Amino acid sequence: MSYYLGPGRPLTSLSTWQELKAAAAGGLLSETQWCEVKEMPSQSSKASNVELAKDLASLSVDGGLLVYGVADKSFEVVGCDLTNFETRISQVAATRVTPPLSPVLNPPIPCPDDDGKHVLIVSVPASPVAPHMVDGSYWGRSSDGKRKLADPEVRRLIQARENAEEKFGQILDDLVRNDPLDDFVEDMPTGNGHVYFVAQPCAPVLAKPIEMDELRNVLANLRQSPSYELLAGCTYNAHDPSGVGLRSHTDAVSASDERDLAQVGIADNFIVKAVYGGASTHRTCPSGPGFYVPINSVVAFVAQCLNLVHHVGTSTGYQGEWRVGVHLTHLRGASLNSDDISFQPVPLRTDELRRVEVIQPTSWTDPGADAGDQAVILLRGLLRGLNIPNEKYVDLVHRSY
């Protein structure tokens, strides 16, 4: 794994004992505003858990590392006993910090000379909801370590949070307003709806931009729907000026084929944008002609986008959170087609739906399943409006259409 040790510094690989010793010898593990080292965990007590919570909260403002098993004076890599400590960190982050934090507990690095000792590197990504409170105060850091934040600093951070949320909304609005698929559909506007997806890292990603070949390879493995290739069908260069982008077609298609259109891109700053032309469509189904939501492909598209975000995070070493948003248009009057004669279709009563969430894809244990579950959360309003509020992802993607 590669780790963030402060702005302006390259990511540093810390996966083996030898790499740890080299980093310590080079001064990279010295305590800074972004790195806190401790020789060993303190015994569990109310006071020590509060101190641990303060360390986590303080690092969450700009992101950083909490390293156990490195002497805090000499910075020698010595290792320590981690028995039950990882569980304790998660519990403290969830119960002693307000709002709760989700630090990344990386696999402990074993000492080659002592099986009972390890070094634990706890990544604390920059939090989109910083500052965080512990014991009645907000905490941040300086070069001397953790400290209470003054009221003006708290106000500044809260204002920065609100600004980030507003700017994200503007990015999503711009994608809807400047839909890249509009030039590839005949006789626009057709009345069919589109799905818009945006994901933005909540902190800078310190890595080289994604290359076109990598994007092609990733998309080729994102088939999650039994009916449509969706992002996997995006093979044509979209000539995205902000980064790399791929589209499913090069020539204009008819309104009846609009639901086969998709485009996806990753900007140089790692913002992911994607559009799918199948939020709603006029077509003839076995039950007759009508205006329908192809829910199987809609949820599969969003899940594929989330899997792409997971790949960007893992491939770049970015362990932080992402702000993700989904916006759907031209929904009013659309309903589900179903072979189940007992199902009562309900036409949607709103024309547009939007939802924004903050997620941490690198914490997923099963990316495919977790992306599907998160897609359902992002589309919860759509599912409620269609009278299927409790359906699971696996059932949604296999619905007939």
Side-chain angles (χ1 to χ4, degrees):
M1 284 293 297
S2 295
Y3 295 94
Y4 168 82
L5 290 171
R9 298 186 183 188
L11 292 174
T12 301
S13 178
L14 299 173
S15 302
T16 67
W17 196 264
Q18 290 72 26
E19 288 175 345
L20 283 167
K21 294 192 72 171
L28 295 180
L29 296 184
S30 301
E31 290 190 322
T32 66
Q33 186 171 341
W34 307 278
C35 184
E36 173 94 14
V37 300
K38 297 182 182 293
E39 188 166 343
M40 65 183 69
S42 57
Q43 290 294 317
S44 182
S45 67
K46 180 178 179 180
S48 63
N49 286 341
V50 168
E51 286 303 306
L52 172 56
K54 292 176 182 178
D55 287 329
L56 295 170
S58 69
L59 287 164
S60 72
V61 174
D62 296 306
L65 300 179
L66 186 55
V67 184
Y68 287 89
V70 175
D72 56 6
K73 299 296 183 183
S74 65
F75 303 110
E76 180 185 359
V77 182
V78 294
C80 62
D81 180 5
L82 297 174
T83 304
N84 299 324
F85 186 54
E86 292 168 274
T87 300
R88 181 179 154 201
I89 292 175
S90 297
Q91 291 173 342
V92 167
T95 62
R96 294 281 184 175
V97 183
T98 306
L101 283 171
S102 299
V104 180
L105 305 179
N106 298 285
I109 301 172
C111 173
D113 302 320
D114 189 336
D115 292 341
K117 291 187 175 182
H118 296 75
V119 168
L120 176 65
I121 301 175
V122 182
S123 298
V124 185
S127 172
V129 293
H132 291 259
M133 180 178 285
V134 178
D135 204 26
S137 298
Y138 290 104
W139 293 84
R141 292 183 67 82
S142 65
S143 58
D144 296 325
K146 61 180 176 288
R147 63 179 178 83
K148 291 182 181 180
L149 293 173
D151 288 347
E153 293 175 299
V154 172
R155 287 194 291 269
R156 176 181 59 81
L157 287 168
I158 292 175
Q159 184 62 55
R161 178 204 308 174
E162 294 173 351
N163 291 344
E165 293 170 351
E166 182 179 350
K167 288 179 180 178
F168 180 83
Q170 292 171 354
I171 294 172
L172 191 50
D173 286 341
D174 287 344
L175 183 61
V176 176
R177 186 167 47 250
N178 301 299
D179 189 332
L181 299 185
D182 281 354
D183 292 336
F184 295 89
V185 183
E186 297 172 353
D187 301 320
M188 285 295 289
T190 62
N192 295 328
H194 289 186
V195 185
Y196 304 87
F197 176 93
V198 173
Q200 180 181 34
C202 293
V205 180
L206 305 178
K208 293 181 179 179
I210 300 291
E211 298 289 344
M212 182 69 81
D213 287 344
E214 181 180 358
L215 179 59
R216 289 184 191 277
N217 291 336
V218 174
L219 297 185
N221 295 303
L222 288 180
R223 293 178 178 87
Q224 286 188 242
S225 169
S227 302
Y228 305 108
E229 286 190 326
L230 302 173
L231 295 190
C234 294
T235 58
Y236 299 100
N237 193 336
H239 304 288
D240 188 340
S242 66
V244 294
L246 292 168
R247 187 186 302 115
S248 59
H249 288 70
T250 56
D251 299 320
V253 301
S254 64
S256 61
D257 293 325
E258 193 170 350
R259 62 190 178 89
D260 295 329
L261 273 178
Q263 180 169 319
V264 60
I266 304 177
D268 290 343
N269 60 1
F270 298 96
I271 293 177
V272 178
K273 299 179 184 178
V275 185
Y276 170 53
S280 60
T281 180
H282 294 83
R283 67 168 298 194
T284 300
C285 289
S287 58
F291 188 37
Y292 299 109
V293 174
I295 194 64
N296 52 357
S297 55
V298 170
V299 294
F301 169 76
V302 175
Q304 288 179 10
C305 290
L306 290 165
N307 260 323
L308 177 59
V309 173
H310 175 268
H311 170 81
V312 173
T314 54
S315 66
T316 59
Y318 175 70
Q319 296 180 302
E321 294 178 304
W322 293 73
R323 187 171 279 108
V324 299
V326 171
H327 188 113
L328 299 95
T329 59
H330 297 294
L331 298 174
R332 185 180 295 276
S335 61
L336 286 180
N337 174 60
S338 177
D339 295 332
D340 183 359
I341 60 174
S342 65
F343 177 75
Q344 296 297 317
V346 176
L348 287 160
R349 302 301 184 188
T350 185
D351 197 47
E352 299 189 4
L353 286 169
R354 173 182 290 203
R355 181 152 179 170
V356 176
E357 295 281 338
V358 174
I359 65 172
Q360 192 170 9
T362 50
S363 68
W364 293 348
T365 55
D366 183 346
D370 290 329
D373 291 343
Q374 187 64 57
V376 170
I377 292 172
L378 286 166
L379 294 169
R380 184 70 70 199
L382 177 66
L383 302 182
R384 289 186 184 127
L386 292 170
N387 195 29
I388 50 171
N390 299 317
E391 285 209 24
K392 306 295 184 183
Y393 174 78
V394 66
D395 299 317
L396 289 166
V397 294
H398 287 92
R399 263 188 168 268
S400 61
Y401 172 68

